[in-house]
């Protein structure tokens, strides 16, 4: 029922919304929860396990029951959102969850009838048979359908997410009174301050208690002045609807800011590094376990007060207060002042504080000290409670119960400081017996806690503590002594109660926890995992501490003996999208394109992803198949000349007086004697002796090398080299620079390549440049490094020019090459050409279990070298010997192509593989299929037959041949 | 031990569930003398103790656990079970485990919820396809089920999957239908209960502080709850193995890294299988409770901190949102870390050590949960017989000096 006046809602701005298809009205400033409550809705959802009807328990982040599905259109459906956290907006569409066919008549609520058969962990004891697959085939699908809460979104999310890094001197988490005081004090002291607040506006508790007086002013006036000062302050950044969900090392915190902007910017992730942190995260009121404490209408006292004070909604007409803590009286009286009839106060304590005890009769309210609740009445709405005096053991005596009609039961179970972030910061919680709470203890980072999260429930104390924390000063609280009934005592009185819920969402009762303890689950982590208490979407904010208390009571130990379960991040659920940010679609991982990419696309190239790059796989002509294109490109290289954009090769410039020494220590090759102007095919191993990468090392000058890596290995190799340079040999005078993007590499390969290049080359004696030679000069007028290298088996060159000049060089090359039939070719032709020649691709013909000798590349290793990376690993017995798998050529009998990855068998019916096929192509040039493989003792088995597995189950024969199919003498290479 | 069944549950209900007894005995302190002591009360250690008692009838066995059983990586992993490993040695080990998983609930009389719903491993490049097919060929030869799916078939098997993402479209997928998930805590509790029923002492909160030995080998342990004599000690301490083995003077070839995982809020069934993508680094399934269970990567530097960098979670969620765009509005409910112990070839070490009577089972890296029953089974045989079980034999500690490595990760290696 909405009150005619008051509250922080804007009555001039009515908003329309729907819940389960029915239209309702609320006001700007409402939450979905307050607006529904104002419309008389008290049934909000169904519980996880028993599908019990549930209403609002709380008014904030700890709400476990009132979870709804929001639907803002296609792709904008979200499950499991607490209605208490949804700011009302025009046209909002919300639905209840976990019910069928309707919230009021949920058929699955029959699960409640079977509840005696379904205690905590029942599924571990049952569904065990018969039949091996009984669980998976029969029971699990049933359980899965019953479990879960809302529905996952059905369409891709059209919204986007932003990311921002920020630095400040003081980050204040929580803009309640303590946080506000801290932020203002910190800013006055001169630092940059970020004040973040999860709610829609600053104020915290004051928003709910307009009747309070703060520093001699009405709360709303005090708040308005402070908020104005904060907004006007040049050094304070106020972030509302911003949840601090992660507290990492070195005061690195992550914040999620809800934006919901019309342009689709939904949330922003803030990553803040701050000198100091002030945590002013407040406290949560504890629910009280008693029989039937989950009936809609049973609510936290402070939450009810907030609905009335902040949103001008009365959550009921006739209330009963169940108090274990003094704070409940103030809440109940505030509600009474707004028109709620207060039928009775049941105080679990035998002797409530006299001043409070005196107020009740003065207001004409019955006070029943030493009373609890033995049960509740009503269906989907509370109609009454059974008030019962407590026996000596704290259990309500149902035989002496009195029914009191009411539609609202207020629970005031005391307060649990929110120490989630403090705990995430690696601070150690300490049990404060006087306050009956875990409080922040010793902290390991520069942080301070202020206000209710530090046990300072009194407003004046919170303000003083906040201001001191903001200034970075110490503040000692006055001696405090709670008069509340300790949680452990409350729990003890509810151990035997029926359906006394501790974790409302997961339907965990005191009996479930007692059962877990009975079954030997003593560690609180075990109790949590066995019963699932504290593992619902509120992560134990509502019932976590009471769960501990029940477990302690069941074991007969004190609460601190049991300890706390770990607070795991995030403090509140965070959208996947917020953490993923802008990294989606093409930005998911930067896609790199080669300098001639645009031209290749225009030429109709087919592309394929290779490591971080997209490379042209082939250049089919109109109407030409990819296979035909590859065959044509191969023929062009063998007969005339072809051009490949090889720019994706990794390149590292190694410079310095010790450059040669450094490379000598890293690579297996003997490089000391490499003369300037010459290149060497070089291998890099891991420490375990296995091949890591290959490339060409060119010596440009005594102190300068141009080193290439595989396309995928560029970053990895540089990291490895830098690792050794910086950690193993910091004494060497050598510097490494990645030049992968600097140089475009255009490979001109084929018998006509020299003729193509000759008219364009200046300053280099092309005819005199030997195979594996390098020279600097100009090509087509462009400064270039010209390598004579071949990955095809033909005469070939690789022209390196700066990437910006690649297009000009390409144009010049094709112009000069046209008469010679210069043809662009792609990576697939490159693969075929190199395989015909028996050149390996590291990562395809080798994997991380292959040595140089396995590939027939033992000749690369400088025999006289004292050391290189992997030398010792290579010397192990298992790394040598004739039984290792060695590279061989494989010639299929007949015209079939083995599959890359096929296993090699000594006989068709054999089961133990001797190796596998690493590469297989149809060679148009040779007119037959060819393959490479790794085969046990392969080099000694030339001419033998092996069988390759096929997916149809029939292995087929191949002849073992040398891996070089084309020009084994190398005449064309040196021609 | 009360046998669990619906009937037992119904009987329990009639008595208000007040008659249940502890699922495993929890002696406050160890006895002075045992035939064998297992150090580490995770799934592997408890399984070892169970099979030692069940199959080898060893009389007096203790499991010593520093914290609470199943509190390490057993309770922190993403529960993926599969055996489609490349090398025959690995396939034999993990498939031994899968075969035990298939009957484990009945064996233990404890529902560990093994759910063979299929594990799909995605290929996103030509290189991935080559590697995936190599696995398919090798597995089929070894008698391990693994089949190759086209992108469309992968989509049909896992409808939320986007096979045409701009950056890493799906080129194909390997599917092991016998693979799946299980309930991790139940594995620890089920083995503990069954082992306890066979007389195994499980002592929680008992930290090993020293290993004593004489010329003939180990003689016992020093613990926070007093000394214990034993001539056979099996160390199964995952991330803490190096520390325990150092007490016997052995330096282990292990590095420890934080590995993180996370779950979403629970939703109705939406994800029918397990999907793994090594290329974009995403591992995901949906628990019976309805949470999406997502595995993230390891931090890049060694650490014993059970908390990794938040950017690692971010990277994983980028990949998840890219492969499954409908999950972008799902919310991360809980994230946590574990410490994985990694060997130089990233395969486990199971077997004897240079110290007679001291056995070790460690180095499971990021993939130990799936092996739990098989690991315990072959390790128990190894301890009982004093020589490696044939399946365990290739995973000896000395392979790092002989060079007989089993490097699965390197075999799937990337280069070009």
């Amino acid at each position: 029922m909405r009150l005619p006046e008051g509250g922080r809602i804007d009555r001039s701005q009515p908003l329309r919304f729907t819940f389960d298809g029915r239209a309702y009205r609320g006001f700007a400033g409402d939450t979905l929860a307050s607006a529904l409550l104002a419309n008389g809705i008290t049934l909000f959802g169904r519980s996880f396990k028993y599908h019990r009807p549930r209403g609002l328990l709380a008014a904030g982040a700890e709400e476990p029951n009132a979870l709804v599905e929001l639907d803002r259109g296609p792709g904008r459906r979200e499950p499991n959102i607490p209605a208490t956290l949804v700011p009302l907006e025009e046209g909002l569409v919300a639905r209840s969850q976990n019910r069928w066919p309707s919230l009021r008549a949920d058929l699955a609520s029959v699960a409640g009838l079977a509840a005696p058969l379904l205690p905590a962990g029942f599924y571990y004891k049952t569904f065990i048979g018969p039949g091996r697959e009984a669980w998976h085939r029969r029971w699990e699908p049933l359980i899965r359908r019953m479990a879960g809460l809302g529905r996952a979104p059905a369409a891709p999310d059209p919204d986007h997410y932003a990311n921002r890094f920020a630095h400040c001197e003081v980050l204040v988490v929580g803009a309640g009174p303590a946080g506000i005081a801290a932020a203002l004090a910190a800013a006055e002291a001169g630092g940059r301050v970020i004040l973040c607040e999860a709610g829609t506006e600053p104020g915290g508790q004051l928003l709910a208690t307009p009747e309070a007086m703060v520093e001699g002013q009405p709360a709303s006036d005090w708040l308005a002045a402070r908020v104005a000062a904060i907004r006007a302050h040049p050094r304070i950044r106020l972030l509302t609807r911003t949840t601090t969900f992660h507290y990492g090392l070195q005061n690195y915190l992550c914040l999620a800011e809800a934006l919901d902007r019309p342009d689709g910017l939904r949330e922003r992730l803030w990553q803040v590094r701050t000198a100091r942190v002030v945590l002013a995260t407040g406290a949560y009121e504890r629910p009280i376990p008693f029989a039937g404490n989950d009936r809609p209408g049973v609510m936290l006292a402070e939450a009810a007060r907030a609905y009335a004070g902040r949103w001008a909604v009365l959550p009921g007409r006739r209330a009963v207060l169940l108090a274990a803590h003094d704070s409940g009286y103030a809440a109940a009286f505030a509600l009474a002042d707004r028109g709620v009839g207060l039928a009775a106060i049941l105080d679990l304590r035998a002797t409530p504080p006299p001043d409070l005890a005196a107020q009740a009769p003065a207001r004409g309210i019955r006070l029943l000290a030493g009373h609890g609740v033995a049960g509740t009445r009503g269906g989907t709405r509370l109609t009454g409670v059974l008030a019962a005096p407590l026996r000596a053991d704290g259990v309500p005596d149902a035989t002496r119960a009195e029914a009191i009609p009411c539609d609202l039961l207020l629970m005031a179970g005391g307060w649990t400081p929110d120490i989630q972030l403090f705990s995430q910061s690696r601070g150690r919680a300490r049990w404060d017996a006087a306050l009956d709470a875990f409080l922040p203890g010793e902290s390991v980072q520069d942080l301070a806690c202020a206000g209710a999260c530090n046990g300072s429930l009194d407003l004046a104390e919170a303000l003083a503590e906040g201001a001191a924390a903001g200034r970075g000063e110490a503040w000692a609280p006055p001696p405090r002594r709670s008069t509340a009934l300790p949680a452990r005592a409350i729990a003890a009185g509810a151990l035997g109660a029926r359906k006394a819920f501790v974790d409302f969402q997961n339907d965990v009762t005191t009996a479930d926890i007692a059962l877990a303890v009975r079954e030997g689950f003593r560690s609180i982590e075990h109790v949590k995992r066995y019963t699932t208490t504290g593992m619902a979407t509120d992560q134990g904010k509502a019932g976590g501490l009471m769960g501990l208390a029940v477990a302690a009571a069941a074991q007969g130990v004190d609460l601190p003996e049991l300890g706390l379960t770990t607070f795991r991040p995030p403090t509140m659920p965070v959208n996947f999208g917020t953490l993923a940010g802008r990294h989606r679609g093409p930005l998911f991982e930067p896609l790199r394109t080669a300098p001639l990419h645009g031209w290749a696309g225009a030429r109709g190239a087919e592309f394929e992803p290779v490591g971080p790059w997209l490379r042209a796989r082939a250049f089919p002509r109109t109407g030409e198949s990819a296979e035909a294109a590859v065959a044509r490109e191969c023929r062009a290289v063998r007969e005339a000349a072809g051009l490949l954009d090889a720019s994706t090769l990794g390149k590292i410039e190694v410079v310095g007086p010790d450059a040669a020494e450094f490379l000598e220590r890293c690579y297996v090759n003997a490089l000391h004697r490499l003369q300037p102007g010459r290149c060497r095919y070089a291998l890099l191993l891991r420490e375990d002796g296995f091949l890591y990468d290959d490339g060409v090392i060119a010596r440009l000058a005594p102190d300068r090398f141009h080193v290439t890596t595989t396309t995928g290995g560029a970053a990895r190799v540089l990291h490895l080299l830098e690792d050794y340079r910086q950690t193993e040999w910091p004494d060497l005078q050598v510097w490494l620079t990645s030049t992968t993007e600097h140089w475009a590499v255009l490979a001109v390969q084929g018998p006509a390549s020299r003729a193509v290049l000759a008219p364009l080359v200046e300053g280099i004696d092309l005819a005199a440049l030997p195979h594996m030679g390098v020279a600097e000069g100009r090509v087509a007028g462009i400064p270039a490094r010209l390598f004579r290298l071949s990955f095809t088996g033909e005469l070939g060159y690789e022209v390196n020019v700066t990437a910006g000049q690649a297009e000009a060089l390409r144009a010049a090359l094709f112009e000069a090459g046209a008469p010679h039939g210069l043809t662009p070719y792609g990576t697939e032709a490159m693969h075929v050409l190199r395989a015909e020649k028996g050149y390996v691709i590291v990562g395809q013909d080798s994997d991380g279990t292959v040595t140089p000798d396995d590939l027939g590349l033992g000749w690369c290793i400088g025999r006289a070298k004292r050391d290189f990376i992997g030398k010792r690993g290579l010397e192990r017995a298992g790394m040598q010997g004739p039984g290792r798998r060695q590279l061989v050529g494989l010639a299929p009998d007949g015209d079939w192509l083995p599959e890359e990855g096929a296993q090699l068998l000594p006989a068709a019916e054999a089961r133990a593989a001797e190796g596998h096929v690493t590469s297989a192509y149809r060679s148009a040039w040779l007119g037959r299929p060819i393959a490479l493989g790794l085969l046990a003792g392969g080099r000694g088995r030339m001419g033998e037959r092996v069988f390759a597995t096929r997916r149809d189950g029939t292995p087929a024969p191949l002849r073992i041949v040398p891996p070089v199919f084309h020009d084994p003498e190398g005449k064309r290479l040196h021609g | 031990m009360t046998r669990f069944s619906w009937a037992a549950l119904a009987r329990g209900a009639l008595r208000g569930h007040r008659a249940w007894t502890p699922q495993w005995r929890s002696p406050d302190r160890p006895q002075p003398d045992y035939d064998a002591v297992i150090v580490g009360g995770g799934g592997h250690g408890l399984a070892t103790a169970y099979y030692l008692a069940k199959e080898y009838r060893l009389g007096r066995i203790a499991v010593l656990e520093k914290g609470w059983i199943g509190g390490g990586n057993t309770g922190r992993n993403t529960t993926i079970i599969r055996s489609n490993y490349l090398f025959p040695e690995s396939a034999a080990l993990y498939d031994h485990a899968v075969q035990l998983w298939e009957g484990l609930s009945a064996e233990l009389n404890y529902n560990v919820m093994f759910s063979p719903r299929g594990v799909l491993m995605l290929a996103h490049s030509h290189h991935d396809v080559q590697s995936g097919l190599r696995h398919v060929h090798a597995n089929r030869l070894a008698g391990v089920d693994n089949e190759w799916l086209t992108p469309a078939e992968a989509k049909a098997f896992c409808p939320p999957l986007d096979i045409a993402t701009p950056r890493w479209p799906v080129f194909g997928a390997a599917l092991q239908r016998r693979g799946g998930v299980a309930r991790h805590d139940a594995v620890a509790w089920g083995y503990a209960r069954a082992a306890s029923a066979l007389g195994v002492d499980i002592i929680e909160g008992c930290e090993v502080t020293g290993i004593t030995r004489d010329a003939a080998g180990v003689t016992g342990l020093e613990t926070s709850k007093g000394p214990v004599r034993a001539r056979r000690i099996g160390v199964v301490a995952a991330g803490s193995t190096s520390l325990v083995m150092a007490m016997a003077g052995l330096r282990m070839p292990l590095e420890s890294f934080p590995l993180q995982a996370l779950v979403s809020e629970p939703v109705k069934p939406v994800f029918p299988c397990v999907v793994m993508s090594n290329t974009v680094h995403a591992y995901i399934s949906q628990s019976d409770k309805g949470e999406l269970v997502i595995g993230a990567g390891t931090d890049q530097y060694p650490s014993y901190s059970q908390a990794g960098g938040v950017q690692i979670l971010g990277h994983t969620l980028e990949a998840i949102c890219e492969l499954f765009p409908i999950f972008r509005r799902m919310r991360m409910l809980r994230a946590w870390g574990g410490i994985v112990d990694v060997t130089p070839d990233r395969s486990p070490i199971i077997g004897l050590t240079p110290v007679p009577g001291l056995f070790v089972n460690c180095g499971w890296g990021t993939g130990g949960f799936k092996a739990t029953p098989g690991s315990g089974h072959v390790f128990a045989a190894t301890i009982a017989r004093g020589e490696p079980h044939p399946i365990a034999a290739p995973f000896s500690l000395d392979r790092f000096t002989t060079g007989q490595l089993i490097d699965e990760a390197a075999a799937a290696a990337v280069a070009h």
Side-chain angles (χ1 to χ4, degrees), chain A residues 78 80 98 116 124 140 150 157 426 518-519 526 529 569 574 576 710-712 847-848 876 878 899-900 949, chain B residues 9 17 23 69 111 115 117 130 134 137 183 185 266 268 288 307 328-330 332 335 400 402 410 416:
Chain A
E78 297 142 36
N80 304 343
N98 203 33
Y124 299 123
E140 187 181 39
D157 181 2
R426 308 240 147 173
R518 202 172 296 133
E519 292 199 83
H526 276 158
R529 287 155 179 263
V574 183
F576 286 7
T710 56
T711 293
D847 56 30
R876 293 180 289 187
E899 193 160 61
E900 289 167 351
T949 55
Chain B
L9 201 60
H17 295 293
Q23 296 193 358
I69 63 166
N111 187 0
S115 172
R117 59 182 72 165
Q130 288 170 333
R134 187 180 168 195
H137 280 279
R183 172 85 182 103
D185 292 327
K268 294 292 177 188
D288 287 334
R328 195 173 292 269
R329 278 175 116 90
M330 291 289 290
M332 175 169 88
F400 302 103
T402 65
H416 269 269

Side-chain angles (χ1 to χ4, degrees), chain A residues 361-379:
Chain A
R363 287 171 166 266
I365 301 165
R366 281 176 73 198
L367 171 63
L368 299 170
H371 273 61
V373 174
T376 57
R377 291 279 178 268

Side-chain angles (χ1 to χ4, degrees), chain A residues 177-178 205-206 212-215 456-464:
Chain A
Q205 196 58 29
L206 298 182
M213 294 295 285
V214 188
E215 294 177 338
S456 303
L457 294 172
D458 177 80
L459 189 56
E461 285 179 25
L463 290 172

Side-chain angles (χ1 to χ4, degrees), chain B residues 170-256:
Chain B
V170 173
F171 279 44
L175 170 63
Q176 185 176 29
R177 292 185 191 271
R178 285 164 66 230
V181 293
R183 172 85 182 103
H184 54 17
D185 292 327
V187 177
W189 302 338
Y191 271 119
R193 172 168 166 268
S196 173
L198 294 170
V200 173
D201 285 350
I202 297 163
I203 299 121
E204 296 177 86
C206 180
E207 182 176 2
V208 171
T209 55
I211 293 177
T212 54
R213 47 189 285 196
D214 61 16
V218 292
T219 56
L221 306 111
E222 305 288 342
T223 80
S224 58
K225 296 189 170 184
V228 177
R229 285 191 300 276
R231 278 290 180 181
R232 275 184 280 211
I233 297 172
V235 177
V236 203
S240 301
T241 300
S242 300
L243 305 174
V244 177
M245 295 299 278
M247 297 171 194
L250 291 179
R251 198 166 161 222
M252 296 298 289
L254 294 172
E255 284 186 312
S256 294

Side-chain angles (χ1 to χ4, degrees), chain B residues 167-396:
Chain B
R167 184 60 184 88
W168 289 112
V170 173
F171 279 44
L175 170 63
Q176 185 176 29
R177 292 185 191 271
R178 285 164 66 230
V181 293
R183 172 85 182 103
H184 54 17
D185 292 327
V187 177
W189 302 338
Y191 271 119
R193 172 168 166 268
S196 173
L198 294 170
V200 173
D201 285 350
I202 297 163
I203 299 121
E204 296 177 86
C206 180
E207 182 176 2
V208 171
T209 55
I211 293 177
T212 54
R213 47 189 285 196
D214 61 16
V218 292
T219 56
L221 306 111
E222 305 288 342
T223 80
S224 58
K225 296 189 170 184
V228 177
R229 285 191 300 276
R231 278 290 180 181
R232 275 184 280 211
I233 297 172
V235 177
V236 203
S240 301
T241 300
S242 300
L243 305 174
V244 177
M245 295 299 278
M247 297 171 194
L250 291 179
R251 198 166 161 222
M252 296 298 289
L254 294 172
E255 284 186 312
S256 294
F257 297 88
L259 175 72
Q260 294 182 86
L262 65 103
V263 294
S264 74
E265 296 180 332
V267 288
K268 294 292 177 188
V270 64
F271 202 81
C273 58
V274 180
V275 171
M276 307 174 61
S277 167
N278 290 325
T279 297
V280 301
H281 218 101
Y283 312 101
I284 178 169
S285 64
Q286 187 178 16
S287 73
D288 287 334
K289 198 181 170 197
E291 297 158 332
L292 297 175
V293 182
I294 294 169
T298 53
D299 278 17
Q300 296 299 308
Y301 45 86
S303 160
Y304 285 106
S305 153
Q306 283 179 329
V310 78
Q311 79 281 3
I312 304 277
L313 298 177
H315 287 320
T316 291
L317 289 173
E318 289 164 18
I320 292 294
C321 292
E322 199 58 17
L323 289 175
F324 311 101
I326 63 167
F327 291 155
R328 195 173 292 269
R329 278 175 116 90
M330 291 289 290
R331 304 198 296 171
M332 175 169 88
L333 176 62
R334 203 164 50 236
W336 64 91
I339 303 302
V340 297
D341 44 324
V342 180
T343 67
D345 67 359
R346 284 148 287 190
S347 286
I349 298 168
I350 315 168
L352 281 56
T353 71
V355 181
L358 182 63
F359 301 85
V360 68
N361 181 349
C362 65
W364 291 91
T366 60
F369 177 73
K370 65 173 80 69
T372 304
S375 161
H377 191 252
V378 301
F379 193 47
T382 303
I383 293 174
R385 297 177 190 147
E387 63 178 40
H389 183 283
I391 288 177
F395 296 90
S396 66

